[in-house]
Amino acid sequence: MPRFHCPGDLSVGGSIELPAGAARHVQVLRMQPGHTLTLFNGDGHEYTALIERMGRSDVVVHVRSREPVDREAPRAVHLAVGMPANERMDWLVEKATELGVASLQPLATARAVLKLQPERAQKKQAHWQSVAESACEQCGRNRVPLIHPVADVAGWLARVRSEPHARFILSPRQGSGSLHTLAAASALVLSGPEGGLTPEEEQAAVAAGFQPVKLGERVLRAETAPLAALTLLTLAA
């Protein structure tokens, strides 16, 4: 059954107009009044809806039922990543969502290839949030991970210093800890861009309570390393 993200109130027994993107997909799929689809708004439930009316560009559905469906990872893992360039960040957001990430923080780092001015950074954040929503439609998640606004490393480290997560920084240079034996209910993982984090950025993270860890002897790409850490932390829960 087709699944669509539909933010806002999905009251059982009510009728709503689908968002423009979902309506276009319904049109492309050549669905008709009387056909059934699944909606979710991020509250952890799935809603079964029946198509009532289709216009040239709008689709109205009647919400028939609501069921709690939990497909979340057993541990909340939050990623903070030095933004890789071009479509690699889109790919990272998509795959991290499929693997169960709780939230993702894009970071502007000293060696990052991708440099964003404030207005473009806001547009990119909205785009990445849309990528996460689409990934949830595909993979079956009913809670959409939050993609935070782009932040600089120093300001972000100051904000997360008091948060109650187990904290790790992926560091090929000085990593000595392990992700396999973590007992905490939530984890925060910091990973660098293509050129890695600078020694000064790593030192600032360690001072903020991040434990350096190494994922192995092979060199992983900037978009691969955080996904590997996410997978290890999820499987070890």
Side-chain angles (χ1 to χ4, degrees):
M1 188 183 302
R3 278 172 46 90
F4 300 106
H5 180 242
C6 189
D9 183 34
L10 293 175
S11 299
V12 175
S15 295
I16 62 164
E17 184 174 326
L18 293 182
R24 283 196 298 273
H25 277 96
V26 169
Q27 301 278 4
V28 169
L29 292 172
R30 299 184 181 276
M31 299 183 75
Q32 299 297 324
H35 286 181
T36 303
L37 46 80
T38 299
L39 304 177
F40 67 100
N41 63 3
D43 68 354
H45 294 79
E46 284 186 345
Y47 298 79
T48 300
L50 192 73
I51 298 176
E52 285 189 327
R53 178 177 62 82
M54 297 184 63
R56 293 178 63 88
S57 59
D58 63 302
V59 176
V60 175
V61 300
H62 177 73
V63 182
R64 304 182 67 182
S65 64
R66 172 179 182 261
E67 295 291 338
V69 180
D70 184 11
R71 298 190 180 102
E72 294 305 295
R75 173 183 288 130
V77 181
H78 307 267
L79 296 180
V81 297
M83 297 176 291
N86 303 320
E87 73 283 353
R88 292 178 183 175
M89 185 63 181
D90 288 16
W91 186 87
L92 173 55
V93 170
E94 179 184 76
K95 301 311 174 189
T97 299
E98 292 177 18
L99 290 169
V101 74
S103 72
L104 195 149
Q105 172 66 68
L107 292 175
T109 61
R111 293 174 177 169
V113 176
L114 184 60
K115 307 290 186 182
L116 299 175
Q117 296 302 315
E119 183 178 353
R120 187 165 176 239
Q122 291 179 359
K123 292 180 179 178
K124 279 290 190 181
Q125 179 204 1
H127 168 70
W128 292 326
Q129 190 67 62
S130 177
V131 170
E133 292 166 1
S134 297
C136 285
E137 290 178 344
Q138 181 272 324
C139 74
R141 288 185 68 178
N142 292 312
R143 295 191 184 277
V144 182
L146 175 63
I147 311 301
H148 293 284
V150 177
D152 67 275
V153 177
W156 174 76
L157 285 174
R159 290 197 298 275
V160 302
R161 183 181 291 267
S162 60
E163 291 185 0
H165 308 298
R167 298 174 218 170
F168 303 96
I169 175 174
L170 303 185
S171 174
R173 284 188 295 269
Q174 56 178 326
S176 59
S178 172
L179 298 174
H180 295 84
T181 58
L182 178 66
S186 64
L188 175 59
V189 179
L190 170 60
S191 182
E194 286 90 342
L197 296 168
T198 65
E200 293 77 18
E201 289 170 336
E202 287 198 13
Q203 291 167 10
V206 171
F210 284 76
Q211 178 184 359
V213 295
K214 189 175 181 179
L215 295 178
E217 298 305 318
R218 293 181 299 278
V219 177
L220 302 181
R221 298 181 73 113
E223 67 273 24
T224 306
L227 296 179
L230 171 60
T231 302
L232 286 172
L233 287 167
T234 300
L235 292 176

